[in-house]
């Protein structure tokens, strides 16, 4: 579990690049919602409801955090669309039949262990799965640890627990994913966008994590038909909010300002290296692979700093 300490290798610039790439992936992934609305002649209502939801999520926490702003935004935007009879697509209308039926039948079933054993002993299957598995492992590991780092940065409270928090986080995530896989479910990890949204909605303690899990289970089992009525435009508003909050605007502008600022030649070169690492990781994370973007940014930044320090001493 020494891999749990890998988050310490990720600098502020590489973290910002990762957040930028992830944020813009989330942002532009919502384009399909508006393209579909335009094809259906409902672009204006879709943009209006998404904007309304975005505004509520951003502004309501300034007034009160007693209720999650994202939930209020979804309810208001969806409810207003139904009241005005706007021709907006819903989650249910664009999903396969039975997706939002709910009940125990919606839960996954236990995997076939015989098939798992056959796949695990098949060289062709292992060669097919391993590259994706390693990439997902790196992303899940790093994002989970970076989510904790983002929380510390946003709250200003560095963790002072008397036990190894990163190691326990990785152990808990690994155990949960293993059990989930055996039960036929998907794996998961700590997600920075949801963490940011949770903090800005007033969450931040163990109870918020527990309530999140219970709410998700309730939505799947009991309230799935109601969830299916949520308009895609309202959900796009939530995702645009998440994307906006994910992008590291402050750190990115700070890095640009540092490059343009005054200073000695040595200091300026170091700033350029940091800015290059931010841009490189942002580019690779958005256009390529999140895991490669993180690794590439760390290697480039540390390598260039090492080369510069060596030649500057000479």
């Amino acid at each position: 579990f020494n891999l749990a300490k890998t988050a310490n290798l990720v600098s502020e610039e590489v973290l910002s690049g990762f957040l930028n790439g992830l944020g813009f992936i989330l942002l532009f992934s919502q384009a399909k919602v508006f393209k579909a609305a335009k094809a259906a002649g409902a672009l204006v209502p879709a943009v209006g409801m998404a904007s309304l939801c975005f505004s509520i999520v951003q502004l309501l926490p300034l007034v009160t955090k007693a209720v999650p702003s994202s939930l209020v935004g979804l309810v208001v935007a969806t409810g207003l669309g139904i009241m005005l009879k706007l021709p907006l697509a819903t989650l249910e209308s664009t999903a396969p039949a039975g997706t939002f039926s709910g009940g125990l039948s919606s839960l996954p079933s236990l995997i076939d262990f015989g098939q798992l054993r056959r796949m695990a002993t098949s060289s062709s299957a292992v060669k097919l799965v391993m590259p994706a598995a390693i990439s997902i492992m790196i992303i899940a590991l790093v994002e989970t640890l970076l989510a904790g780092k983002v929380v510390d940065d946003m709250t200003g409270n560095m963790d002072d627990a008397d036990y190894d928090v990163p190691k326990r986080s990785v152990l808990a995530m690994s155990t949960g994913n293993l059990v989930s896989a055996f039960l036929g479910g998907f794996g998961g990890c700590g997600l920075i966008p949801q963490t940011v949204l949770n903090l800005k909605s007033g969450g931040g303690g163990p109870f918020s994590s527990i309530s999140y899990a219970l709410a998700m289970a309730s939505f799947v089992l009991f309230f799935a038909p109601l969830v299916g009525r949520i308009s895609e435009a309202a959900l796009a508003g939530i995702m645009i909010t998440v994307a906006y909050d994910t992008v590291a605007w402050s750190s990115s502008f700070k890095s640009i300002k540092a490059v343009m600022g005054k200073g000695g030649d040595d200091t300026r070169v170091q700033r350029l290296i940091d800015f290059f690492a931010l841009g490189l990781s942002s580019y690779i994370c958005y256009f390529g692979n999140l895991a490669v973007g993180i690794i590439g940014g760390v290697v480039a930044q540390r390598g260039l700093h090492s080369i510069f320090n060596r030649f500057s001493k000479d």
Side-chain angles (χ1 to χ4, degrees), residues 85-138:
K85 298 182 179 180
L86 299 177
L88 298 173
T90 64
L91 296 180
E92 186 176 20
S93 67
T94 57
T99 300
F100 292 94
S101 58
L104 294 176
S105 60
S106 62
L107 296 178
S109 56
L110 192 67
I111 65 171
D112 184 341
F113 286 95
Q115 184 179 13
L116 175 63
R117 181 181 58 80
R118 290 191 295 272
M119 292 182 63
T121 55
S122 170
S123 59
S124 59
V126 172
K127 289 180 181 179
L128 178 65
V129 170
M130 285 305 294
I134 293 174
S135 178
I136 293 172
M137 180 271 292
I138 293 174

Side-chain angles (χ1 to χ4, degrees), residues 10-227:
V10 181
S11 66
E12 180 182 353
E13 292 77 22
V14 175
L15 173 59
S16 297
F18 171 75
L19 293 176
N20 291 344
L22 180 60
F24 281 107
I25 288 174
L26 293 173
L27 177 63
F28 290 112
S29 68
Q30 302 310 303
K32 62 180 183 290
V33 174
F34 300 105
K35 288 181 180 179
K38 182 179 180 180
L43 179 60
V44 173
V47 172
M49 291 302 101
S51 300
L52 174 63
C53 190
F54 177 88
S55 301
I56 291 174
V57 175
Q58 291 292 336
L59 298 177
L60 185 60
L62 300 178
V63 179
T64 178
K65 292 185 178 180
V67 290
S69 58
S70 55
L71 179 61
V72 175
L74 277 178
V75 172
V76 171
T78 298
L80 186 60
I82 294 174
M83 289 176 57
L84 297 177
K85 298 182 179 180
L86 299 177
L88 298 173
T90 64
L91 296 180
E92 186 176 20
S93 67
T94 57
T99 300
F100 292 94
S101 58
L104 294 176
S105 60
S106 62
L107 296 178
S109 56
L110 192 67
I111 65 171
D112 184 341
F113 286 95
Q115 184 179 13
L116 175 63
R117 181 181 58 80
R118 290 191 295 272
M119 292 182 63
T121 55
S122 170
S123 59
S124 59
V126 172
K127 289 180 181 179
L128 178 65
V129 170
M130 285 305 294
I134 293 174
S135 178
I136 293 172
M137 180 271 292
I138 293 174
I139 294 172
L141 174 67
V142 174
E143 186 165 6
T144 296
L145 298 174
L146 292 184
K149 191 173 181 179
V150 169
V151 171
D152 291 338
D153 291 341
M154 290 183 65
T155 61
N157 298 323
M158 301 303 293
D159 190 90
D160 56 356
D162 57 358
Y163 54 85
D164 194 332
V165 175
K167 183 177 292 187
R168 288 201 177 189
S169 298
V170 173
L171 179 60
M173 179 186 68
S174 304
T175 304
N177 285 342
L178 181 64
V179 174
S180 177
F182 285 150
L183 296 176
F186 289 101
C189 67
L191 298 176
I192 294 175
Q194 280 80 346
T195 300
V196 172
L197 183 62
N198 183 40
L199 284 174
K200 291 198 171 185
S201 298
F207 181 72
S208 69
S209 301
I210 296 173
S211 61
Y212 176 83
L214 293 176
M216 288 294 293
S218 299
F219 288 147
V220 171
L221 295 175
F222 309 116
F223 303 112
L226 191 61
V227 173

Side-chain angles (χ1 to χ4, degrees), residues 229-266:
R229 300 187 65 183
I230 295 175
S231 70
E232 288 194 337
L235 188 60
I238 294 291
M239 295 307 298
I240 292 172
T241 303
V242 172
Y244 175 82
D245 290 336
T246 299
V247 174
W249 302 105
S250 178
S251 298
S252 298
F253 286 126
K254 177 182 176 183
S255 183
I256 294 174
K257 186 178 179 180
V259 170
M260 298 176 64
K262 297 180 180 180
D265 291 340
D266 290 353

